[in-house]
Amino acid sequence: MRVQLGLSGSTDHVLGLRHDTERRVGDRRTNTRATPERRRRDRRRARLRSLIFASLALTVPHQLKHSALKVLPSGPRVSTTIDSMVAVPATKAYEGIIREAAALYRVDASLIRSVMQAESAFDTSAVSRAGAMGLMQLMPDIAEAFGVVHPFDPRENIMAGTRLLRELLDQHRGNLRLTIASYNAGPTAVAHYGRVPPFPETQGYVKRVTGLIADARASAGTNDD
């Protein structure tokens, strides 16, 4: 049984297949062979073409290089190499945002920085077991209340965390220890006890943050209370 596959006539001719009888048509053996003199002339021409192409390959790039230098725009140019790049320590990477937040919400920059260090050790991707996120470990409800769209974005995270510190400072009338305790355990727990709650974690947290603030102020040569 022969299948046409939708093609009219012989499929061999359509697909470009040749029969054995067609292979002899125009066979090179029917042509007159070239003379030795003609072959030598062809070889000389081939060598000449090779020499011309080789010379072009050597001279053209050199000419293009000089012409490219002429069209380059004048003026100062800056080149950067990997060797010239210096990594910024995590402890210094967010100084600009910290100072901006401190000025906006009137919060001591050393308090913001110390809370950030105690909360996440300056890790933007930090997530606690309770679900706190980012540099200042914002809880999901706080992030939502403050309109944080990207909680792991350093600027959004620091701004929201500083705003929370400002509200806690106002609530506790500037009492630093109660503010820090509320940031860790929540203002409800602090209000219940009327002091730093007797939770080992919260008490250790308050001690650590106040110690970091004291160290920062000492290294800056300030005497702020």
Side-chain angles (χ1 to χ4, degrees):
M1 179 178 178
R2 184 176 185 181
V3 180
Q4 293 290 338
L5 295 179
L7 299 176
S8 61
S10 172
T11 58
D12 291 344
H13 178 72
V14 173
L15 295 176
L17 300 176
R18 294 187 302 178
H19 298 287
D20 290 340
T21 56
E22 295 177 322
R23 297 180 185 275
R24 295 293 183 182
V25 177
D27 192 281
R28 67 176 183 174
R29 284 178 293 184
T30 62
N31 297 330
T32 305
R33 293 179 178 272
T35 63
E37 178 62 26
R38 180 178 177 182
R39 288 199 295 272
R40 284 194 294 271
R41 185 168 61 251
D42 291 341
R43 285 197 295 270
R44 286 197 296 271
R45 289 177 180 175
R47 285 197 296 270
L48 181 60
R49 284 196 299 268
S50 298
L51 290 174
I52 293 173
F53 289 142
S55 63
L56 287 174
L58 293 174
T59 58
V60 170
H62 181 72
Q63 294 172 353
L64 289 177
K65 179 177 67 175
H66 287 284
S67 62
L69 291 176
K70 295 178 182 178
V71 300
L72 287 176
S74 59
R77 292 186 293 273
V78 178
S79 62
T80 303
T81 61
I82 295 177
D83 294 338
S84 65
M85 297 176 64
V86 179
V88 178
T91 54
K92 302 293 184 183
Y94 311 106
E95 279 300 305
I97 304 174
I98 290 173
R99 295 189 180 280
E100 180 185 356
L104 179 62
Y105 293 109
R106 296 175 292 107
V107 176
D108 191 341
S110 63
L111 171 59
I112 303 171
R113 194 181 302 108
S114 298
V115 167
M116 190 185 307
Q117 183 174 348
E119 289 286 347
S120 67
F122 303 100
D123 182 2
T124 58
S125 60
V127 178
S128 73
R129 289 175 294 180
M133 303 170 288
L135 289 168
M136 299 195 74
Q137 291 290 276
L138 302 177
M139 292 298 291
D141 56 341
I142 293 295
E144 183 179 359
F146 289 169
V148 176
V149 178
H150 304 100
F152 296 103
D153 176 79
R155 190 175 188 281
E156 287 191 56
N157 194 285
I158 294 172
M159 287 295 176
T162 305
R163 180 179 170 184
L164 176 58
L165 286 172
R166 177 71 267 164
E167 292 189 3
L168 294 175
L169 283 167
D170 293 342
Q171 182 177 338
H172 297 296
R173 299 181 181 180
N175 188 302
L176 187 60
R177 288 176 57 82
L178 295 182
T179 296
I180 297 170
S182 292
Y183 198 95
N184 175 262
T188 302
V190 175
H192 175 74
Y193 289 98
R195 57 185 176 85
V196 176
F199 309 144
E201 178 187 342
T202 301
Q203 291 183 347
Y205 180 85
V206 171
K207 182 177 180 181
R208 184 182 180 194
V209 173
T210 54
L212 289 170
I213 293 172
D215 291 343
R217 289 175 176 176
S219 61
T222 62
N223 296 315
D224 298 338
D225 295 332

